[in-house]
Every structure is written in C-alpha cells, then in structure tokens.
Amino acid sequence: MSSIKSYKPGRKWFKTIVCKVVMVILGRAFQVFSRHDHEIKNEIAAWPEGFTLELNVLPFGPRLLILKEDGKIRTVGEIDEKPELSVNFKNIESAFLILTPLMGVPRGFAEHRFIVIGDVAKAMAFTRCLNRILAYLYPDFLCRNLMRRIPEINFMKRMSKRLYFYTIGIVTGS
Amino acid sequence: MLPSYYEFYNPVKIISGSKALDNIPYELELLNAKRPLVVTDKGVENAGLMKVFLDSFKNSGIEIGGIYSDVPPDSSNSVVKAIAKIYREKECDSIIAVGGGSPIDTAKGVNILVTENSNDLMEFEGADRLKKPLKPFIVVPTTAGTGSEATLVAVIYNEEKNVKMEFISGYLLPNLAVIDPRMTETMPPKITAATGMDALTHAVEAFTCLQKNPISDAYAFSAIKIISHNILNAVKNGKDQKARLNMANAATMAGIAFSNSMVGAVHALGHSAGAVAKVPHGVAMSVFLPHGLEYNLEKIKDSLGELLLALSGPEIFAATPKEKRALKFIEDLRRLQKQLFDEASLPMTLKDAGVTEDMLGTIATKAINDGALMMNPEEMSHEDAMKVLKKAF
C-alpha cells in the first residue's frame, strides 16, 4: 500500500473571524455615514435604487452585502440575485491585510489582492466613500498608509462623527 | 526597488522582422490549426495591407476559412456575434486579427463565443471569468500604438444596453503576435505620431504608476528608448522600414508593460476626452501626458527621473542633477510634442483637438470614475481633474 497520504487543508478561523468582525463594522459605518456625510450622500445618490454591493472573501467568505434602499445604504443578510458590484478578495490572507487595515485599497488593487466584478465607475465611487469612512474611523497616522490623500474633513466634524459612531452609530446603525 | 508583491504574465510568442508574415502558416501548424478566420477592417483593406497578408499564405497549403473585413471603429456586440456565426458556418479552427485595437478586441470577443459555444458575451464580462484556453489566436498589428497584441483586455460595446463591456483574462492573450514592418508603413504621419505617443504613454505610465514591477519596468524602459530614437524618423519617412519595425516593437513592449502594470491619470483623462469629445486616443495621450506627469510629479520624481536616460540619452542624463531629472523629462517630452506638431500637425492642446470649454466638466466627471485612476500615484478629485483639464486646454 502506498505511504503517500492525502492532505485536507483546515481553515484559518482566527483571521476569518477578524475579517467578519471588521466587515460588520465597515457595513455599519457605511450605513451610518451615508446618512451623516454630505459627500457620501452625493456619491450614493448616483446609484440606482435597489443597487447591491458585496465584499466577499473567496472561496468560503465571510461576506458583507450592502443594499441601497429608499435612497439610503443598509447592510443585508442575503439577496436573491447576484450583487451588481462584487469585490472579491482572492484569499483570507489578502482580506486580512486590507481589512485590519495593514494595506490600503490602491496598494491592494496594485498587488492583485482582490478582483472587482461590475461597473467600474461605481467601484470608483465606492472607493471614494470608503476613503471618507476610513478617515472617520481611523486617526491620520493609520490613514496615511491606507490612502493616497486623506479627505479634507473639518477636524471638529471628524472627531464628533467618530465619537458618535463608536458610541451610538455602531449600535443603532443610524 | 521591488514591490512587496507583484504578478507578471506574458505567454505571447512574438515574431518580428522582415517577412515575418510568411511564417504564419508554419506557426498555425504548430498550433494545430488549418483553417483560420481572418478579422480585419476596411482601413486595412483600403490601405492594400490584406494583399500583403494574403500573399504570405501562397504555397503554404493553409486555406483561409473566411475573411471578415467590416469591423467598425468601436468593437460591438452584434459584430462579434455575426463573426462568431461565420466562424461556425465556415468550420474554422483558429482566428487571425489584422489591424489596430478594434479588429483585435473584436477577434478576442469572437474567440470567447466560439470557444465557450455561446451567443452571449455578457456571461463572460469582468475579470477572470474565462476558465479554459481559447482557440488558437494570432494577431498582426497594423498600428504601432495600442499594444493590444500583448494585452489581456478586450473592450466591446454592447448596443442593447448602451455600455462598454470589459473582459479581462490571461486567456485573451494571443498565442502569437506577428510584427512585420510592411504592415505599418502605409500609416500617414499624423496617425504614426499619435499612435507612437500612445505607446510612449503606455510605457511612461507603466513605469511610474502604482503597479510598477521590475519586469514591466524593463519592457517600459526599452520601449521609451526605442520610441525616442525612432518616432520622428517614422513620421518624416513612412517608408523607413527600420524605424517602422522599431516603433512596432516598442508598441508591443509597451503593451506588455502596461498589461502587467496598469496605466493612470493620463489614460483616465484620455478615455474621458475620447468618450465626450471624440478625441482620438493617441491624440489625447499626447496632449495629456506632460500635464499628467506634472500633476503626479511629487509622487513620481524618482522613477520619472530614471526615464530621462531612456528619453534623452546618456549625455543629457549625466549632465542633469538628480533632483532636476524628472522636470527635464517633462521639458524634453514637450520638445518632442512640438516637433510632432511641426512635422505632423499632432495637436498639443485640447482646444486644437476639438474640445470646447463647456465639455471640461463632463470630461472631469467621467475621468474620476475611470478605473485607470485607481493605479495613479496621486489621488484625483473632480476639482483636481478640472485644473489639469484647464491647463491642457
């Protein structure tokens, strides 16, 4: 009998859970700041009603689904159809790098860490929204590594919105 | 310096030089193909290039299954479907695209449909949607600019949905690119200048944008060197086969470079000017290149400074202090632009290219939504895009 054994790879549970948690926070942040930030509101105003977007880690997830409904953004569990815009991380390590956030979206895209399926113009608008969301969530020293230029947002506004999100918005989602 | 991670892929066999076309039948046999379908356009046919191409099959035993020569300037869904039908009816087993970007992209679309035995290109739109190798595919470029013979992308217009569909897959790369100087020698001076500047822009942006990597850098650097030595000769004397061959090679090399290291703001602005004001792509690249480089200057000083050696030669490079090389590159680029204007009337401003001031806002809006901006080293807002556009106007 052959001594060669087959190998069934296990899962990277810790990184999967961390990615899931960050996705939940990001989804909540998008939902909250799409109601409180004028620029983000303007960006999503151009998206059609019912527009869906997903962040997904190949092949097993986790996955974040976002829907535009009544002019607002909200996270949803499942939808029947294929999302109109998909950002698929090629593996859990790539997702972990970008979501934790050790690497910015432009660098991640340059390094082929994810692929985008869908309308590129909407992907560009989503990236601009993401830059503003990250600017609210993280301090400058982190943002400098994540984006080419930190969005110009009034300091007091940025601090107060950050405080609001981490105390109320993250719980209520509004 | 190496990036922390990069990818590079180019499986295209390149045959280049005198009578290269005559090797196609032999190469078809190596690909186990005997009955190719030829995809081309009226421009190629009217320039008499099809005769040169078809003559290369005499005495070869290869029978061409069909020739489709009505590809429109923008590849479209319905044309792709019509050609796929001909491919099946004529029982072809391979595809040869002869022409510039449009016949090449159309042929890539046809290859998807006939390989996947489908009639709906939409199923395969996006990145990495193709899961198996396509039919044998050969490209004979007739312009020295687009580099489509070495890129894994096809853009095809969908008339029913009024959108441009983008297909990205390593399987779209041809098996063979055939560079024969006879195929570019009839290009008029203005188109030679515009397509040459297109190739130069591919190489410069590949070398200076975020996805740069050491292998694409090598292709980009050599392409710039060859273009700077040959573009004026090719424009002034179209029959100069050496200059033509050099330019065609440089365009392919630049295509390989930017297929692996994506372009940036110059292309984003150029795509948008093309969509809004119908500015030909090469003309837009020529107009925007110095402005785009100036805009990115703070982020690309070092890499652009290195390119001065390729553009202006060792004497000028050595005589220019390191901190001034990037600016000197832009200065010498403007000199080249002026020479091309004098020799071939290649527009230097958007105004000369037919853009009116009221179009600038729409161009800026389109540009900031163009995917090429993702790889630009500097962020670009609508306001930034307007500033660059006003300078270029």
Side-chain angles (χ1 to χ4, degrees):
Chain A
M1 207 171 92
S2 168
S3 61
I4 303 292
K5 291 177 184 168
S6 58
Y7 170 69
K8 193 178 175 194
R11 301 281 292 272
K12 294 180 175 177
W13 288 113
F14 173 71
K15 288 183 176 173
T16 304
I17 291 165
V18 170
C19 287
K20 180 70 199 168
V21 170
V22 178
M23 278 184 176
V24 170
I25 296 172
L26 268 183
R28 270 292 157 105
F30 198 8
Q31 192 170 310
V32 171
F33 293 118
S34 68
R35 289 157 168 83
H36 293 270
D37 181 86
H38 188 65
E39 296 283 328
I40 297 178
K41 268 187 206 168
N42 282 346
E43 293 285 4
I44 60 171
W47 296 354
E49 195 59 23
F51 176 78
T52 48
L53 180 163
E54 71 167 345
L55 291 187
N56 183 33
V57 184
L58 296 172
F60 302 120
R63 182 191 194 209
L64 168 68
L65 262 173
I66 286 165
L67 166 76
K68 182 184 169 186
E69 198 177 57
D70 298 330
K72 289 173 187 159
I73 289 295
R74 73 177 181 90
T75 53
V76 286
E78 282 301 320
I79 51 169
D80 295 334
E81 287 168 4
K82 211 171 69 173
E84 282 152 87
L85 182 65
S86 293
V87 179
N88 287 321
F89 295 103
K90 289 184 177 174
N91 53 58
I92 193 70
E93 291 293 340
S94 296
F96 188 80
L97 267 176
I98 292 165
L99 293 172
T100 44
L102 297 167
M103 182 182 279
V105 169
R107 187 77 251 150
F109 192 59
E111 294 192 1
H112 306 265
R113 303 280 177 185
F114 57 85
I115 54 169
V116 177
I117 298 172
D119 184 350
V120 176
K122 292 196 181 76
M124 295 302 289
F126 174 60
T127 309
R128 289 192 291 271
C129 293
L130 197 59
N131 281 350
R132 291 188 76 82
I133 293 167
L134 296 179
Y136 283 123
L137 295 183
Y138 301 128
D140 275 3
F141 76 91
L142 271 179
C143 288
R144 269 192 282 275
N145 282 333
L146 303 179
M147 52 193 87
R148 291 169 287 200
R149 189 197 298 160
I150 301 171
E152 284 172 24
I153 307 172
N154 174 283
F155 179 78
M156 285 312 291
K157 183 183 167 189
R158 204 169 148 197
M159 290 304 127
S160 61
K161 296 262 192 260
R162 184 180 297 165
L163 187 66
Y164 173 81
F165 176 72
Y166 283 121
T167 53
I168 301 168
I170 198 166
V171 183
T172 63
S174 58
Chain B
M1 203 168 69
L2 281 177
S4 57
Y5 175 93
Y6 75 92
E7 296 183 2
F8 184 93
Y9 183 60
N10 177 47
V12 183
K13 179 174 179 178
I14 295 160
I15 60 173
S16 161
S18 172
K19 308 269 181 191
L21 286 174
D22 295 72
N23 272 339
I24 294 179
Y26 175 78
E27 294 291 337
L28 277 168
E29 276 191 40
L30 291 184
L31 293 165
N32 201 21
K34 293 180 174 58
R35 201 174 156 79
L37 175 78
V38 178
V39 178
T40 187
D41 61 22
K42 279 278 174 268
V44 171
E45 206 173 55
N46 294 341
L49 299 176
M50 279 311 285
K51 186 182 177 322
V52 182
F53 171 79
L54 293 172
D55 279 353
S56 68
F57 283 82
K58 282 182 179 163
N59 238 26
S60 72
I62 294 271
E63 187 180 329
I64 291 175
I67 301 170
Y68 187 93
S69 54
D70 280 326
V71 173
D74 283 319
S75 326
S76 79
N77 199 22
S78 58
V79 172
V80 168
K81 277 201 250 183
I83 302 174
K85 193 166 170 248
I86 295 168
Y87 180 99
R88 292 177 189 121
E89 280 170 3
K90 299 281 184 181
E91 296 178 337
C92 297
D93 59 10
S94 50
I95 302 171
I96 304 178
V98 183
S102 185
I104 297 173
D105 278 8
T106 301
K108 286 176 178 175
V110 173
N111 208 359
I112 295 173
L113 291 187
V114 297
T115 304
E116 297 289 344
N117 203 16
S118 166
N119 267 322
D120 184 11
L121 268 179
M122 289 289 273
E123 284 176 46
F124 309 98
E125 190 188 3
D128 292 337
R129 302 291 290 275
L130 301 170
K131 303 295 180 198
K132 63 180 181 190
L134 305 185
K135 302 284 182 193
F137 179 36
I138 295 177
V139 170
V140 182
T142 59
T143 61
T146 67
S148 303
E149 66 277 13
T151 65
L152 41 70
V153 180
V155 180
I156 294 164
Y157 179 62
N158 185 330
E159 300 111 322
E160 295 124 48
K161 301 208 165 183
N162 192 24
V163 289
K164 278 193 170 178
M165 301 183 290
E166 198 172 54
F167 304 85
I168 305 167
S169 167
Y171 292 128
L172 287 175
L173 283 159
N175 303 87
L176 179 72
V178 184
I179 306 172
D180 190 311
R182 292 173 293 175
M183 299 306 274
T184 52
E185 70 180 19
T186 56
M187 257 198 305
K190 192 171 174 181
I191 296 179
T192 303
T195 52
M197 288 303 280
D198 184 19
L200 182 68
T201 308
H202 290 153
V204 173
E205 289 213 290
F207 198 91
T208 54
C209 287
L210 291 181
Q211 214 165 27
K212 76 193 252 77
N213 66 67
I215 306 181
S216 66
D217 280 358
Y219 281 98
F221 190 91
S222 296
I224 295 167
K225 195 171 157 188
I226 294 171
I227 293 166
S228 84
H229 286 168
N230 291 280
I231 190 167
L232 284 168
N233 287 345
V235 168
K236 285 180 193 168
N237 178 15
K239 295 287 171 200
D240 182 343
Q241 287 217 355
K242 203 173 156 194
R244 290 293 196 190
L245 185 62
N246 284 333
M247 286 301 291
N249 270 271
T252 304
M253 291 161 79
I256 295 170
F258 92 88
S259 194
N260 288 280
S261 168
M262 268 178 65
V263 289
V266 177
H267 270 77
L269 291 162
H271 293 154
S272 310
V276 175
K278 305 260 180 256
V279 180
H281 184 66
V283 172
M285 294 300 97
S286 180
V287 170
F288 284 126
L289 184 56
H291 298 287
L293 295 176
E294 262 174 2
Y295 179 76
N296 287 329
L297 193 58
E298 278 311 305
K299 297 270 175 85
I300 62 169
K301 250 182 186 163
D302 290 347
S303 53
L304 192 61
E306 285 174 44
L307 288 183
L308 182 65
L309 179 62
L311 184 77
S312 307
E315 288 81 13
I316 291 174
F317 181 80
T320 311
K322 195 179 172 194
E323 66 279 5
K324 292 186 177 162
R325 283 174 187 159
L327 278 173
K328 177 71 178 156
F329 181 96
I330 298 172
E331 186 189 319
D332 286 3
L333 180 65
R334 288 216 155 97
R335 187 171 302 127
L336 175 63
Q337 222 186 7
K338 177 74 174 64
Q339 286 168 317
L340 292 173
F341 174 75
D342 293 340
E343 292 293 338
S345 307
L346 188 68
M348 292 177 69
T349 64
L350 286 178
K351 202 176 193 174
D352 292 345
V355 177
T356 54
E357 205 164 358
D358 60 308
M359 294 174 176
L360 300 186
T362 320
I363 296 174
T365 305
K366 271 199 176 295
I368 62 163
N369 286 315
D370 190 287
L373 260 195
M374 185 68 102
M375 288 300 96
N376 196 56
E378 185 59 88
E379 189 71 49
M380 184 177 266
S381 64
H382 189 272
E383 199 185 335
D384 299 325
M386 278 304 287
K387 279 183 195 161
V388 177
L389 285 165
K390 279 178 182 162
K391 277 188 188 171
F393 188 73

